[in-house]
Amino acid sequence: IAGEPSVLALGDNVFYGAGLTQELRTAAAITSGAVVFAHEVADPRGFGVVELDENGRPLSIEEKPVKPRSNWALTGLYFYDGAVSGIARKLEPSRRGETEISAVNQIYLERGALNVVRLQRGTSWLDTGTVQGLMEASELARAVEHTQGLKIACPEEVAWRAGYITRDSLLELGKGYNNSYGDYLIRLGTTRW
């Protein structure tokens, strides 16, 4: 990624909510600076925490603080301009002995180039790095699929809705499965949304 814009998405995070796709597209269009996503949590001590002013601008970032300055946790989804690889190359390990993503974000903050998007009420962010978090994500997926009849993170549906594949391709893919997943794809392709 040397010199190119990039996205870092930590693998133990699950996001779900209306409007999220547009927020991601907007963040991906940045040409300078960084965009990070924050979600309000009940107990922020286990996360990177961002303190915001009354206008939503970041004031400080702390990694797993004992006494957090806010309840806004950074979610593990980061969009960076082309300067990020140079910034990351110069980082030193923290007192915890780790190279922290919060240190990268801190440098963008100090440069006045860190933008924080607060995820809207109704958007779910789940950190599945614990058994509890994994169970919560499973429960969310089960509830949405059961009550709404929708799949979460269905690659074929995402590709079809984004215009990467046609309705005919979606139907053909659905026919390749001999199970309820294939039935779902066929239903998508034959229902006018």
Side-chain angles (χ1 to χ4, degrees):
I1 64 170
E4 297 293 326
S6 57
V7 177
L8 174 63
L10 302 183
D12 62 354
N13 289 275
V14 173
F15 297 88
Y16 183 76
L20 188 58
T21 300
Q22 186 54 49
E23 288 177 338
L24 296 175
R25 285 185 176 137
T26 300
I30 66 163
T31 56
S32 68
V35 177
V36 297
F37 290 81
H39 195 282
E40 202 164 19
V41 296
D43 183 5
R45 292 176 296 174
F47 304 102
V49 175
V50 63
E51 177 187 18
L52 304 167
D53 70 12
E54 62 277 355
N55 297 312
R57 291 185 303 251
L59 297 171
S60 68
I61 296 172
E62 302 172 280
E63 185 64 32
K64 298 180 176 58
V66 175
K67 294 182 180 178
R69 295 181 184 163
S70 85
N71 282 13
W72 287 99
L74 295 174
T75 65
L77 184 56
Y78 314 97
F79 287 75
Y80 296 111
D81 64 12
V84 71
S85 54
I87 291 169
R89 217 178 279 113
K90 296 176 184 174
L91 292 180
E92 298 290 330
S94 69
R95 57 184 150 86
R96 297 182 326 135
E98 297 182 19
T99 305
E100 306 280 0
I101 194 64
S102 288
V104 172
N105 294 332
Q106 181 66 35
I107 291 169
Y108 278 98
L109 175 65
E110 290 166 3
R111 292 179 176 180
L114 182 70
N115 300 291
V116 177
V117 174
R118 290 180 283 189
L119 293 173
Q120 300 173 21
R121 182 182 174 105
T123 300
S124 295
W125 165 60
L126 301 162
D127 181 343
T128 63
T130 64
V131 171
Q132 179 69 26
L134 189 58
M135 290 298 297
E136 289 169 357
S138 294
E139 290 167 3
L140 172 69
R142 187 203 59 76
V144 168
E145 290 191 9
H146 178 73
T147 61
Q148 297 178 12
L150 302 172
K151 299 281 184 206
I152 292 179
C154 172
E156 296 90 346
E157 180 180 6
V158 171
W160 172 62
R161 292 192 185 278
Y164 300 133
I165 63 173
T166 65
R167 184 180 304 272
D168 289 342
S169 296
L170 180 69
L171 290 168
E172 196 60 37
L173 288 165
K175 291 174 187 173
Y177 295 100
N178 188 21
N179 55 29
S180 62
Y181 187 82
D183 295 342
Y184 174 75
L185 297 177
I186 292 168
R187 183 170 61 88
L188 282 177
T190 56
T191 304
R192 297 289 174 214
W193 295 88

